[in-house]
Amino acid sequence: MSHILVTGGAGFIGSNFVHHVLDNTVHHVTVLDKLTYAANTASLEGLPASRFTLVQGDIADADLVDDLVAGHDAVVHYAAESHNDNSLDDPRPFLESNVIGTYTLLEAARRHGTRFHHISTDEVYGDLALDDPNRFTESTAYNPSSPYSSTKAASDLLVRAWVRSFGVDATISNCSNNYGPYQHVEKFIPRQITNVLTGVRPKLYGAGANVRDWIHADDHSSAVLTILEHGRIGETYLIGADGEMNNREVVEMILGQLGQPTDAYDLVTDRVGHDLRYAIDSTKLRSELSWEPRYTNFAEGLAATIAWYQSNRDWWEPQKDAAEARYAAQGR
Ligand code: NAD
Ligand code: DAU
């Protein structure tokens, strides 16, 4: 039995991983989370108290991090400022949490010889042309576009350096866009679902032609646990489920599933530096570690996600006004 420290475990994907570990293993989990605007402790309700502890704190707090890492067998590091639009408004918290926070954790893992898995994003690779036959692989060159993705790229490179220079037992995964229940309403899919549920028209950036490679958060969690248990130290694994769709197609599907005319959306000011297309080739993860996604039908996964937002207004309504106020200030 192991004790796993999950940073950012009160956020969307981290909380999904906590449930996945507690449901499928005998491990104990401690969540270290600063509880920023993006966190929601309601996502962690109902977990077994004998195997789960929540600690509120900052991953850049070296003393706290050292104490916690010393008492755990592994760290799975999700904590980050995660939203591109916010990083364009105010990059500093992204540097503090994503770069200094990762550095602080790596130093503790180095001191205590702790297994470390770093969660990252496909955005470190920049973007692809719509007609590019290639997808991102583990050997694609880094080319991040936004303050968010550049800080994630920096954190990946720190992990690689700490493996090579200091022998830290680390792995890295870079995943594509996640969807599913418990995602903050600032993100594309929950924003549009909750817009329709509150009588507001969905908002597409630019012409809505940008492509994202959607994967259900449950599939991301199963892949991370597989890499934590069976991945080769020092290796990077790309996680994706062959889910490429453009934003217009996704909004039309949301509107259709909610019984609205599929053209009842507005085009709004584009995000500056907006990446055009992401696409993941996850052959290495599938062939080396025999991982497969369970959610291969996006329309079904989306319908279940919409049903969750319809039935869980108490979870998202308290965050909706603040998220929309941030967008209004950005003209979106
Ligand atoms: P999220 O914004 O929903 O959650 C982030 C969590 O980290 C929050 O609970 C927040 O309170 C916590 N946090 C932030 N700064 C912290 C700090 N300094 N100390 C402690 N806790 C802190 O994000 P998410 O969408 O769940 O993403 C989680 C991770 O997965 C991030 O590293 C992100 O880069 C990566 N990722 C996300 C996606 C996606 O589609 N959302 C895809 C690939 C990778
Ligand atoms: O690719 C992985 C990344 O996916 C993660 O690393 C990030 O943490 C996560 O936020 C996500 O980044 P994106 O910028 O792709 O996600 P977002 O949900 O902000 O937007 C998805 C797409 O939808 C993008 O092309 C912008 C567009 N969009 C977004 C919003 C909020 C709209 O058209 N309208 C909107 O209202």
Side-chain angles (χ1 to χ4, degrees):
M1 186 192 307
S2 303
H3 289 70
I4 304 177
L5 180 64
V6 178
T7 72
F12 167 46
I13 312 179
S15 62
N16 186 290
F17 180 73
V18 172
H19 283 275
H20 185 78
V21 169
L22 293 172
D23 287 349
N24 293 288
T25 75
V26 295
H27 302 320
H28 287 244
V29 170
T30 303
V31 163
L32 170 60
D33 197 300
K34 190 175 172 182
L35 303 183
T36 70
Y37 80 94
N40 195 332
T41 52
S43 307
L44 297 168
E45 278 169 5
L47 295 172
S50 59
R51 292 171 59 213
F52 172 69
T53 310
L54 171 62
V55 176
Q56 181 174 5
D58 192 330
I59 55 168
D61 177 341
D63 292 338
L64 173 65
V65 163
D66 193 74
D67 280 352
L68 285 171
V69 171
H72 288 81
D73 303 295
V75 177
V76 182
H77 173 35
Y78 287 90
E81 288 292 336
S82 70
H83 198 46
N84 277 298
D85 292 321
N86 296 341
S87 82
L88 295 162
D89 267 0
D90 182 11
R92 179 173 279 276
F94 290 76
L95 288 152
E96 290 167 349
S97 292
N98 303 1
V99 182
I100 300 298
T102 301
Y103 156 74
T104 307
L105 287 160
L106 282 168
E107 282 290 81
R110 171 190 175 192
R111 274 192 296 276
H112 299 290
T114 310
R115 173 82 173 85
F116 192 89
H117 181 71
H118 178 64
I119 303 297
S120 192
T121 169
D122 58 358
E123 295 193 17
V124 299
Y125 300 115
D127 59 357
L128 298 163
L130 293 179
D131 61 353
D132 191 331
N134 297 306
R135 298 185 289 170
F136 300 138
T137 72
E138 287 77 4
S139 54
T140 302
Y142 274 39
N143 187 27
S145 309
S146 73
Y148 161 69
S149 55
S150 61
T151 59
K152 291 300 290 186
S155 67
D156 292 11
L157 299 182
L158 291 177
V159 177
R160 290 184 183 190
W162 262 243
V163 170
R164 176 153 174 170
S165 299
F166 304 125
V168 170
D169 285 344
T171 42
I172 300 173
S173 53
N174 298 76
C175 188
S176 58
N177 283 63
N178 285 220
Y179 75 99
Y182 300 97
Q183 185 169 29
H184 194 280
V185 291
E186 71 186 351
K187 300 293 197 283
F188 176 55
I189 288 179
R191 184 183 188 206
Q192 312 315 339
I193 295 170
T194 57
N195 275 354
V196 178
L197 294 180
T198 53
V200 174
R201 286 161 70 92
K203 297 181 193 311
L204 276 174
Y205 294 175
N210 303 63
V211 171
R212 295 295 182 264
D213 188 354
W214 294 101
I215 180 173
H216 197 282
D218 289 2
D219 285 330
H220 188 178
S221 292
S222 70
V224 169
L225 186 60
T226 301
I227 297 165
L228 183 68
E229 290 176 335
H230 305 293
R232 284 184 293 133
I233 298 302
E235 292 292 316
T236 290
Y237 296 89
L238 264 54
I239 305 173
D242 301 333
E244 280 189 73
M245 291 185 69
N246 75 34
N247 295 335
R248 202 177 331 103
E249 293 168 322
V250 173
V251 158
E252 286 171 357
M253 204 180 274
I254 290 169
L255 285 163
Q257 291 194 1
L258 282 166
Q260 303 291 315
T262 55
D263 61 355
Y265 57 79
D266 293 324
L267 300 179
V268 297
T269 316
D270 206 354
R271 174 187 285 171
V272 296
H274 192 178
D275 281 338
L276 186 53
R277 171 177 165 235
Y278 307 136
I280 289 259
D281 178 346
S282 57
T283 303
K284 176 177 174 181
L285 174 64
R286 293 174 193 239
S287 58
E288 197 179 291
L289 303 182
S290 300
W291 172 84
E292 291 292 336
R294 276 200 308 123
Y295 291 80
T296 49
N297 184 324
F298 179 77
E300 281 178 20
L302 181 66
T305 302
I306 290 174
W308 188 88
Y309 281 91
Q310 285 174 313
S311 310
N312 290 277
R313 296 183 80 112
D314 289 353
W315 185 90
W316 57 265
E317 272 175 344
Q319 297 178 327
K320 181 70 176 166
D321 286 349
E324 289 305 320
R326 286 195 293 277
Y327 280 124
Q330 295 163 0
R332 285 193 279 268

